[in-house]
Amino acid sequence: ENADLAPREAFFNSKSPDTIYWIKNKKEEKLMIKKMRNIYIMALFKKYFSVKIKNKKIEHLISLIKDADLVYYSGGGYLTGMTLSRLFDGCLFISICKLFKVPVVLSGQTIGLFRNNFDKRISKKAFNYAKIITLRDPEESPKALESIGIKNYQVMFDDALFCDKWENENDIKNLLLNVGIKEKNFICFQMHFWGINSEEDK
């Protein structure tokens, strides 16, 4: 088991003030695509020539992928055109898994909202490699996958709701009170509000 830096940090220094990761304009988008190609080329060299990559964070993450038995890529809404940088780094990450023949499971995902053919092309290439894709919404994500010819999916649930039952009544009561829920009986739902601007409407 490994707990380590996410691809956005290991590959793109997402916390750095001068990062291009969050893609604020077309120029940064092009730079990120170029950086993705460079990282993939580094992974190719690592596979075929066993070289050590100079950048320690990139070297470490690619080595973890190379030695993994399985990559379990847990959801939310990372793999959408509206969270573009996450879609890009997710597709790069899956492509590197494919390069090293490490199986990938995509779990509890929201997928879609592709902006253009480039988004669809890289998504199709990456998602085609996944052994199984489980989705947390029953309508829009299946439509998005079908639109790029991906059929290897199942509609299930959000991974955040897939957890052991907590038995201690006091613990449960305190947890609910801490988040402002007084009654025990409640439901969980989620929605995206892209395109809605006012806080009141959200």
Side-chain angles (χ1 to χ4, degrees):
E1 294 179 11
N2 283 295
D4 229 292
L5 294 174
R8 67 178 180 269
E9 182 57 24
F11 291 159
F12 301 103
N13 292 317
S14 62
K15 291 179 185 167
S16 165
D18 58 349
T19 185
I20 52 158
Y21 180 74
W22 301 107
I23 305 182
K24 296 182 283 300
N25 51 51
K26 279 282 177 194
K27 184 183 174 188
E28 288 188 351
E29 185 176 338
K30 284 180 182 172
L31 284 169
M32 185 155 170
I33 291 167
K34 187 178 176 185
K35 174 113 188 192
M36 286 163 64
R37 284 197 194 105
N38 290 342
I39 291 166
Y40 189 79
I41 290 165
M42 288 180 208
L44 276 169
F45 273 98
K46 183 141 194 80
K47 178 175 181 178
Y48 292 109
F49 302 106
S50 297
V51 296
K52 196 155 180 141
I53 298 163
K54 283 182 183 175
N55 182 305
K56 286 181 183 175
K57 289 197 286 190
I58 295 175
E59 161 70 25
H60 184 60
L61 184 53
I62 290 177
S63 294
L64 285 177
I65 295 169
K66 179 174 165 282
D67 296 334
D69 298 309
L70 169 79
V71 167
Y72 184 90
Y73 194 108
S74 184
Y78 300 137
L79 301 175
T80 74
M82 292 300 290
T83 49
L84 189 59
S85 48
R86 299 277 178 89
L87 175 66
F88 281 6
D89 90 38
C91 289
L92 172 64
F93 188 73
I94 295 163
S95 298
I96 293 171
C97 293
K98 183 179 179 182
L99 176 66
F100 290 108
K101 296 182 177 163
V102 176
V104 175
V105 171
L106 300 178
S107 178
Q109 301 291 335
T110 296
I111 288 172
L113 296 164
F114 303 124
R115 306 163 309 144
N116 53 35
N117 285 332
F118 180 76
D119 289 2
K120 288 181 179 179
R121 200 163 67 245
I122 64 166
S123 298
K124 181 173 183 175
K125 205 170 175 183
F127 303 161
N128 246 332
Y129 180 67
K131 297 291 178 192
I132 185 72
I133 302 169
T134 69
L135 303 172
R136 64 183 187 172
D137 70 290
E139 292 179 16
E140 297 305 318
S141 292
K143 275 188 216 165
L145 286 173
E146 295 279 350
S147 77
I148 57 172
I150 307 290
K151 300 188 183 299
N152 189 24
Y153 67 83
Q154 290 179 22
V155 174
M156 293 182 80
F157 44 73
D158 192 317
D159 287 359
L161 303 178
F162 184 49
C163 52
D164 292 334
K165 186 178 177 187
W166 212 352
E167 300 289 351
N168 187 303
E169 287 291 325
N170 282 332
D171 286 345
I172 295 167
K173 187 179 175 187
N174 289 335
L175 175 69
L176 296 178
L177 284 172
N178 281 337
V179 294
I181 299 171
K182 291 178 184 175
E183 299 298 325
K184 268 194 206 175
N185 299 322
F186 61 93
I187 60 167
C188 176
F189 72 97
Q190 59 200 3
M191 63 181 182
H192 291 292
F193 46 72
W194 286 306
I196 300 172
N197 295 319
S198 83
E199 286 302 314
E200 187 181 357
D201 286 344
K202 285 177 187 178

